[in-house]
Amino acid sequence: MNRFFLLLLLFGTTLLASNILSYNIYDRTDRVDVMLTFDTPYHGKILKSRFKSKIVVKLYDAKIESSKIKHLSSHILKSISINPMDGYTQIVASVPTDDIMLKASRTADAYGLRLRFVKKSALQTASQIKQQAFESVSTSKQFPNLPTKQGSDISTSYYIVVTLLIIAVIVMLILKRKITNPNHQKNWLFKGGVPKAPKMKNTGAAASKDEVSIRFQKRLDERNSVVMLDFMEHSYLLLLGEHNNILLEKFHDDVPTTQSEFETMLSTKNSELEQFLKVEQTPSSKTQEVEDLLRTFSQKASNIPD
């Protein structure tokens, strides 16, 4: 009867044990991994022991059908054997030096078991790297707002770009002001330059007594123009140049009222206009000739009747 219970107990233990279906060896430069695969999740006890150049692992409640042995040409693991024993499976690994260590770990679903053989020096190096990474993360959490060199470089570049944009806008505004005010040179007749022509009626009526207005104007070239002004009760025909301004004629009656009449009147004064342009284009070396021509214009203007 007692024998029957013992046999039944052994049979139940055998049914509860996990079978080793396969094993795979992965030989790498810094480690050797032995992967065991079970038919059911393995939760048995694992015992490790060392005898000089051998590492022995006992897997309780694990079975294998037959013994397995594998020889390797590795500097970490020479050979490994897996043998079925009574109530457990024994794994014997032959290592070349005492510097080799074993780490055993199950997979998440417990269907696999990894036996990793690695050198102590490599294990310590990996541990130091992890520790340094942990300290770096801890430091960044404690001081999250400390500026870095990269951020400083980005900030400097940003300020440089903004400064250049501001300078460009200022230069554009200055150029725009100069372009929109081309008549920036002062004139003897008008303070601040030649005034813009006001809106005129087609009747050609004279301006009010206390205002100066442009009745007609015509550009002779890029730097010279002829203008008819209305002031008080008279109209004046002027030649405006870059360096000189000449009064050609004074009108009280018979004032042109249309642009065509104005241009017809100018056609009768071609000789004076050409002479004026010669004065404007005369080189500075011929100063005496210029003064004589200007004096002639002045005398003629002074003899214009009121």
Side-chain angles (χ1 to χ4, degrees), residues 23 25 34 61 68 87 92 98 113 129 133 159 169 187-188 202 213 232 240 259 292 295:
Y23 75 98
I25 299 176
V34 179
D61 297 331
K68 310 289 182 182
V92 180
D98 295 339
L113 176 66
I129 293 174
Y159 288 123
V169 170
N187 191 280
W188 65 277
N202 294 330
S213 62
M232 301 293 286
L240 303 181
Q259 184 69 27
D292 292 341
R295 190 178 299 108

Side-chain angles (χ1 to χ4, degrees), residues 17 41 52 66 86 105 108 110 117 123 125-126 139 145 153 160 186 192-193 199 204 206 210 215 227 272 274 276 282:
K52 294 183 179 180
S66 60
D86 188 12
S105 58
F117 298 88
L123 198 63
T125 303
T139 303
N145 296 325
D153 292 341
I160 291 174
K186 290 187 177 181
K199 295 182 179 179
D210 57 348
R215 177 180 289 270
V227 180
E272 296 180 11
E274 291 176 358
F276 175 78
T282 302

